[in-house]
Structures are given as structure tokens and as C-alpha cells.
Amino acid sequence: MDGADLHPVGWVRSPVADRADAVRQGDEGAPDVVIDLVPAVAAAAADLRAGDELLLLTWLHLADRTTLAVHPRGDVTRPSTGVFATRSPDRPNPIGLHRVRVLDVDGLHVHVSGCEAVDGTPVVDIKPVLGSVADR
């Protein structure tokens, strides 16, 4: 495999514009945001409903792709740890993973709670959170 082509399916519209102002994880006080989908994926979003739990996969476009190890949560008293063992946004392929709940769907605009991504972050995929095997 020589590479991978990713095309955004939408973008995050958030009141948080600066990475330094973002919480580290969605369950740590992240704001409600809107996912603005591209028209080409409208049919893919047709069955999203308020209350659905989703996993947003984003491209953390402000990340440092050369970072291989970090002090978890920026705490220098913790040992340096390889990024694959952390949730650091700085990593070779900065894919973000955000568990969110749908608040409302208005055409191509999906309103969700608990997303720590900054304004303008590309969304590369959306997947449902799976329930028990019997419910799939």
C-alpha cells in the first residue's frame, strides 16, 4: 500500500477556535458543536436521529505529525510515553476519535454534544456506537 486518500465528509463548527482552549476529552466539558456535512454524503446521514451515540473520526489538522512521544496530558512529572499509548492529538497520522451524542439533525447540519475538536476540524467518517450483540 503506497498511501491512503481521505476526503472530508464534513467539518466541525465549534465555538472553540484555538487548540489551547480545547478540553482534552469530550467528557471534560466540551461544547456542543455542529458537524456541517458535504452535500455528497447526504444519503449517508439520512438515518441519524437525536439521541444517537456516534463516533466521529476527524483529521486533527493542527497536530504535529513528527511527535512520537509525549508526557501524558502535558504533565512533565509523568514519564514520556509513545503516542500510540496515549490520546495525544500530536501523532504521525492525527486521527481524532470523539464519542458524541446527536442533539438534532437539520439537513446537512448534525448538532452534537461533547466534541472537543476545534472549529474547522475535518470530519473523515461517522460511525454509530455499537450496543450489545443482540441489538446490532
Side-chain angles (χ1 to χ4, degrees):
M1 187 167 118
D2 293 336
D5 291 329
L6 292 176
H7 302 281
V9 298
W11 282 267
V12 173
R13 188 166 22 109
S14 171
V16 180
D18 190 319
R19 182 177 156 176
D21 296 330
V23 296
R24 294 187 183 273
Q25 296 297 321
D27 62 358
E28 296 176 355
D32 296 346
V33 305
V34 177
I35 307 305
D36 290 329
L37 298 172
V38 299
V41 302
D47 296 302
L48 296 179
R49 302 283 180 261
D52 288 350
E53 284 190 281
L54 303 174
L55 296 172
L56 298 181
L57 285 83
T58 61
W59 188 262
L60 303 175
H61 62 297
L62 302 177
D64 178 351
R65 296 184 72 180
T66 64
T67 299
L68 299 178
V70 296
H71 293 282
R73 301 186 71 82
D75 182 351
V76 296
T77 66
R78 295 172 75 176
S80 182
T81 304
V83 296
F84 294 161
T86 76
R87 293 290 301 266
S88 172
D90 297 319
R91 52 197 324 110
N93 284 314
I95 297 171
L97 179 66
H98 318 269
R99 185 173 180 156
V100 300
R101 180 176 300 278
V102 176
L103 300 172
D104 185 40
V105 180
D106 179 19
L108 295 173
H109 311 291
V110 183
H111 302 254
V112 301
S113 64
C115 182
E116 72 278 16
V118 300
D119 191 55
T121 299
V123 176
V124 296
D125 205 357
I126 300 172
K127 296 180 181 281
V129 171
L130 295 178
S132 68
V133 173
D135 294 333
R136 294 184 192 160

